[in-house]
Each structure stands twice: as structure tokens, then as C-alpha cells.
């Protein structure tokens, strides 16, 4: 019995290492982006067009408009301060026209998602989230995805509070626009289990395999 467990553990470890190597090898380099913003840089106002992309790991900027078929990955910024140059954080990000935003970290005052734009939110400090889109249950899915470990929505204040997947807190003021789906209903909330929960799920899978 102990030999079987060892073999399964070895197989799982090999699979994990393989997946890890695949992830590392597929991480794009700075050269894969049209614009790269790092510490000490200020992009001012930037409009991205078809096929253009932006990676941000530090610094700041005023407005970032993502147009048709463009995308941006925000991994981090300087602390929010729009009264200095170079600025810190971002004043506003607009996503529309089949563009996509991945916001993993950093600080932004407002993110706006409209038309057929999409956004994935998984970290950082977002003060306001505004969407101007229509969601139809069972037909048109939400355009915003938010990864979390727990959240609450205050219907009176329209404030969304909770914890990102890494355990850090967030507090986002949701902004609704007449004739569009309320922002809270335009968010697909994805719960990320604790590492311990994932471990238990993995052990449960091994037990099921042993019983078979």
C-alpha cells in the first residue's frame, strides 16, 4: 500500500513540475508588449489601438484607454498620487471594443468597462468600478471577473468589500449607469479556496483513486 502512495505522489510531483515549467516558459517577455511601464515612468495619457498591448509593473499615468482588440496587464504601480510628476497610480482606465484588462496589482481611481470590453480583477487598490454593458442571464455573461476569498455588497451604498485571493482587502465603490445592467450584476465572482482546502481536495482525489 505504501508503494502505491509513493508512486502516486511521485507522479503528482512530476506533473506539478511539468506544469510549473510550462508556465515559466510561456511567460511573455517585455519585448512582447507595445508599451512597458516600470518604476519611475509616467505614461501620461495613452490610447491603445488594435493589437497593441501594455504591461505595467510600476510608475503611474493619468488615463489609459483600451480600444478595439488591445489589452493591458497591470501588475503594479507606484502609490496613488496624481499631483506630482512622475505620477503614481492611474487616474482612469477605460476598456471597450473587445479590449481586455488584467488588473493584478497597483492603484487606480476608476476602471470603466463598456461596449464588449472585458476585465479580470485579482488584486490591488481599485477605488471605483463603472460598467456600461447589458447582461442577460443565461445568454450574455458578465464582462468582469473578480477573484476573491470572500466579499460583501452593501445595496444601500453600492460598496463592494472583501479579500483578494492573496488575502489582501479591497473596497470598491460600484457605479451604476441608467439603462445598463447594475455593476454588481456584471461581475462574475470566482472564489479561490485556501491552500489547505486545495490540499484536502487533492488528498480526497487520491483516496478515491485508491478505493477504485
Amino acid at each position: 500500500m505504501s508503494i502505491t502512495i509513493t508512486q502516486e505522489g511521485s507522479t503528482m510531483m512530476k506533473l506539478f513540475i511539468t506544469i510549473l515549467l510550462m508556465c515559466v516558459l510561456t511567460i511573455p517577455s517585455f519585448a512582447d508588449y507595445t508599451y512597458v511601464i516600470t518604476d519611475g515612468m509616467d505614461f501620461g495619457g495613452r490610447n491603445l489601438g488594435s493589437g497593441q498591448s501594455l504591461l505595467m509593473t510600476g510608475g503611474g499615468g493619468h488615463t489609459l484607454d483600451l480600444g478595439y482588440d488591445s489589452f493591458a496587464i497591470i501588475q503594479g504601480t507606484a502609490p496613488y498620487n496624481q499631483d506630482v510628476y512622475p505620477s503614481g497610480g492611474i487616474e482612469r482606465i477605460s476598456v471597450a471594443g473587445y479590449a481586455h484588462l488584467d488588473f493584478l496589482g497597483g492603484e487606480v481611481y476608476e476602471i470603466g468597462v463598456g461596449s464588449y470590453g472585458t476585465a479580470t480583477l485579482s488584486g490591488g487598490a481599485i477605488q471605483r468600478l463603472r460598467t456600461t454593458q447589458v447582461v442577460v442571464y443565461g445568454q450574455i455573461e458578465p464582462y468582469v471577473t473578480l477573484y476573491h476569498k470572500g466579499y460583501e455588497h452593501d445595496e444601500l451604498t453600492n460598496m463592494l468589500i472583501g479579500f483578494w485571493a492573496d488575502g489582501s482587502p479591497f473596497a470598491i465603490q460600484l457605479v451604476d449607469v441608467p439603462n445598463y445592467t447594475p455593476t454588481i450584476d456584471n461581475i462574475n465572482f470566482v472564489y479561490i479556496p485556501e491552500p489547505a482546502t486545495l490540499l484536502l481536495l487533492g488528498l480526497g482525489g487520491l483516496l478515491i483513486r485508491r478505493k477504485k
Side-chain angles (χ1 to χ4, degrees):
M1 186 68 67
S2 60
I3 296 177
T4 303
I5 296 175
T6 301
Q7 290 176 341
E8 289 180 344
S10 176
T11 302
M12 292 295 292
M13 180 60 69
K14 290 179 181 178
L15 178 61
F16 173 77
I17 293 174
T18 301
I19 295 174
L20 182 61
L21 287 174
M22 290 176 63
C23 291
V24 171
L25 292 174
T26 55
I27 293 176
S29 65
F30 283 1
D32 294 322
Y33 298 91
T34 310
Y35 305 100
V36 176
I37 311 300
T38 59
D39 290 338
M41 298 177 66
D42 187 325
F43 64 74
R46 182 70 61 184
N47 298 314
L48 268 60
S50 179
Q52 293 187 314
S53 58
L54 179 144
L55 171 67
M56 187 171 188
T57 61
H62 186 61
T63 58
L64 177 60
D65 294 317
L66 305 182
Y68 182 77
D69 199 29
S70 62
F71 73 92
I73 299 176
I74 312 299
Q75 296 180 344
T77 70
Y80 185 84
N81 188 347
Q82 291 290 307
D83 297 326
V84 298
Y85 185 86
S87 64
I90 307 170
E91 179 71 16
R92 179 180 57 82
I93 301 176
S94 176
V95 190
Y98 297 99
H100 180 73
L101 168 70
D102 280 327
F103 197 91
L104 295 82
E107 301 184 17
V108 59
Y109 176 69
E110 181 175 285
I111 294 176
V113 186
S115 181
Y116 295 101
T118 56
T120 299
L121 314 176
S122 56
I126 304 168
Q127 294 190 40
R128 290 159 55 97
L129 175 63
R130 176 197 305 267
T131 65
T132 51
Q133 295 163 311
V134 176
V135 174
V136 180
Y137 181 76
Q139 298 181 35
I140 303 177
E141 297 296 322
Y143 291 88
V144 178
T145 300
L146 188 150
Y147 292 92
H148 68 94
K149 278 189 176 178
Y151 73 92
E152 292 183 2
H153 176 240
D154 189 321
E155 295 183 359
L156 184 62
T157 63
N158 211 15
M159 180 67 71
L160 179 68
I161 61 174
F163 296 92
W164 298 117
D166 64 0
S168 59
F170 62 78
I172 307 172
Q173 178 65 63
L174 304 183
V175 180
D176 297 336
V177 179
N179 302 319
Y180 293 100
T181 298
T183 299
I184 185 65
D185 296 326
N186 193 19
I187 302 175
N188 176 33
F189 291 94
V190 180
Y191 176 73
I192 303 299
E194 297 282 351
T197 304
L198 293 174
L199 177 61
L200 289 175
L201 290 174
L203 291 176
L206 289 177
L207 290 175
I208 292 174
R209 291 176 60 186
R210 286 179 59 188
K211 288 180 179 179
K212 289 181 178 180

